[in-house]
Amino acid sequence: MSEQDEKTRVTQVVQGAPPEQGGGSDCLVVIYTAEPGLLGKRFVLDRSPLRVGRGTDNHIVLEGDSVSRRHAHFERRGNDWWVVDDGSTNGTYLNEEQVQRDNALGNGDRIKVGPTILKFLSGLDAEAKYHEEIYRMTIVDGLTQIHNKRYLFEALEKELIRARRYERELSLVIFDIDFFKRINDQFGHLAGDYVLRELARVVQERIRRDEVFARYGGEEFVIVLPETNLTGALALAENLRQRVGTHVFIFQGERIPVTISIGCAQLFKEDKTAPDLIQRADEKLYEAKRSGRNQVRG
């Protein structure tokens, strides 16, 4: 269930043109974006400065109300690349921290401009790293850095087979952020992105190695719990509800109140496919929302 008007976007990963200067070329790869044709695109850093912004005169043109016409640029200083904010209205972020003026880039750094995240790849093996990143994008959500919906369904199907074959318990937890549209409207979409990312980090700390945590939709998340009954799932869900409710979410100096509603379900013999189990958990999530939100139902 989502309170966002926008539906979950399924985007095809596209490969950018090969680098002009061989496999050692430093580059930027788009790992998260609202623009379908941009995901997976590679920009070789073959000029300095390389400018990013909403204006058509930039080398990398990005859409979005939170992107300034001349937002930022990348420049080479000696052997290093630096990101420089050009006085943008909403800021440039390096690994979730706002760039005050400029910062040197390290291999694997993530640069966020408006709703778009670019990853910096450097070194003689940049070509191999690029292809690794393209594969990673098929199973990992670029914003939250947890698994995506595609990986979730593949993993859940495997757990369903394993649970039936060995007669083991299997449960599923689904939750979303209460009044997420209100957060976006009141604090802005950049704050909404921060909440999603920080929430994923808080929950990830509680997830065990054999459990699967994935972003299911806009503000909706799913946890797959192998060898766990409904009682165990409800206990985890309540723990997560309390963790999120007491966690301090602060973006650009403003505290953002965040709570979640959670639905839980255990695998039944009648569940034929993964969507059957998800649907039953989702029905419990709706029940939690109808009962006033910030609750657990199972």
Side-chain angles (χ1 to χ4, degrees), residues 1 64-65 84 191 246:
M1 181 178 61
D65 294 338
V84 182
T246 57

Side-chain angles (χ1 to χ4, degrees), residues 210-234:
D210 61 334
E211 297 168 347
V212 178
F213 178 38
R215 186 180 179 188
Y216 185 62
E219 73 269 24
E220 200 165 32
F221 298 84
V222 166
I223 306 171
V224 180
L225 305 171
E227 301 187 34
T228 302
N229 59 23
L230 184 59
T231 300
L234 289 168

Side-chain angles (χ1 to χ4, degrees), residues 179-244:
F179 302 112
F180 186 66
K181 185 178 184 300
R182 185 183 299 175
I183 292 175
N184 278 329
D185 291 344
Q186 181 176 348
F187 299 97
H189 288 276
L190 292 182
D193 285 351
Y194 157 77
V195 168
L196 291 168
R197 195 168 54 242
E198 182 68 3
L199 173 70
R201 186 190 66 79
V202 170
V203 173
Q204 184 71 60
E205 293 176 347
R206 181 61 179 78
I207 301 302
R208 298 182 304 186
R209 184 180 298 274
D210 61 334
E211 297 168 347
V212 178
F213 178 38
R215 186 180 179 188
Y216 185 62
E219 73 269 24
E220 200 165 32
F221 298 84
V222 166
I223 306 171
V224 180
L225 305 171
E227 301 187 34
T228 302
N229 59 23
L230 184 59
T231 300
L234 289 168
L236 172 65
E238 179 58 27
N239 179 272
L240 293 178
R241 187 193 67 79
Q242 293 180 22
R243 279 174 176 252
V244 172

Side-chain angles (χ1 to χ4, degrees), residues 88-257:
S88 64
T89 302
N90 293 289
T92 303
Y93 291 82
L94 177 64
N95 301 326
E96 286 81 58
E97 296 292 332
Q98 187 168 1
V99 175
Q100 298 305 316
R101 166 57 186 160
D102 54 12
N103 278 96
L105 294 176
N107 182 48
D109 280 350
R110 298 186 306 279
I111 304 96
K112 192 169 190 293
V113 177
T116 299
I117 301 176
L118 304 105
K119 190 169 187 176
F120 175 66
L121 300 179
S122 177
L124 295 176
D125 59 345
E127 177 73 12
K129 291 174 183 172
Y130 167 70
H131 290 289
E132 289 174 4
E133 192 62 35
I134 289 297
Y135 167 72
R136 189 171 184 274
M137 289 166 58
T138 65
I139 62 173
V140 173
D141 176 61
L143 177 65
T144 59
Q145 294 297 296
I146 63 173
H147 288 301
N148 60 17
K149 190 174 183 177
R150 171 181 172 175
Y151 182 90
L152 167 68
F153 273 95
E154 291 177 353
L156 183 52
E157 289 290 355
K158 291 177 182 177
E159 291 299 338
L160 283 171
I161 293 171
R162 186 177 292 114
R164 290 198 177 98
R165 179 178 297 166
Y166 299 106
E167 297 184 350
R168 294 174 178 171
E169 296 169 322
L170 175 66
S171 293
L172 184 138
V173 170
I174 186 168
F175 66 89
D176 72 5
I177 301 172
D178 296 326
F179 302 112
F180 186 66
K181 185 178 184 300
R182 185 183 299 175
I183 292 175
N184 278 329
D185 291 344
Q186 181 176 348
F187 299 97
H189 288 276
L190 292 182
D193 285 351
Y194 157 77
V195 168
L196 291 168
R197 195 168 54 242
E198 182 68 3
L199 173 70
R201 186 190 66 79
V202 170
V203 173
Q204 184 71 60
E205 293 176 347
R206 181 61 179 78
I207 301 302
R208 298 182 304 186
R209 184 180 298 274
D210 61 334
E211 297 168 347
V212 178
F213 178 38
R215 186 180 179 188
Y216 185 62
E219 73 269 24
E220 200 165 32
F221 298 84
V222 166
I223 306 171
V224 180
L225 305 171
E227 301 187 34
T228 302
N229 59 23
L230 184 59
T231 300
L234 289 168
L236 172 65
E238 179 58 27
N239 179 272
L240 293 178
R241 187 193 67 79
Q242 293 180 22
R243 279 174 176 252
V244 172
T246 57
H247 185 75
V248 179
F249 292 81
I250 297 180
F251 182 73
Q252 294 184 341
E254 291 191 277
R255 182 166 181 167
I256 304 173

Side-chain angles (χ1 to χ4, degrees), residues 15 26 28 36 39 49 57 59 63 101 114 154 163 182 223 231 233 241 267 269 274:
Q15 178 169 328
D26 298 338
L28 299 164
L39 187 64
D57 56 337
H59 302 106
E63 297 178 359
R101 166 57 186 160
E154 291 177 353
R182 185 183 299 175
I223 306 171
T231 300
R241 187 193 67 79
L267 180 68
K269 291 182 180 180

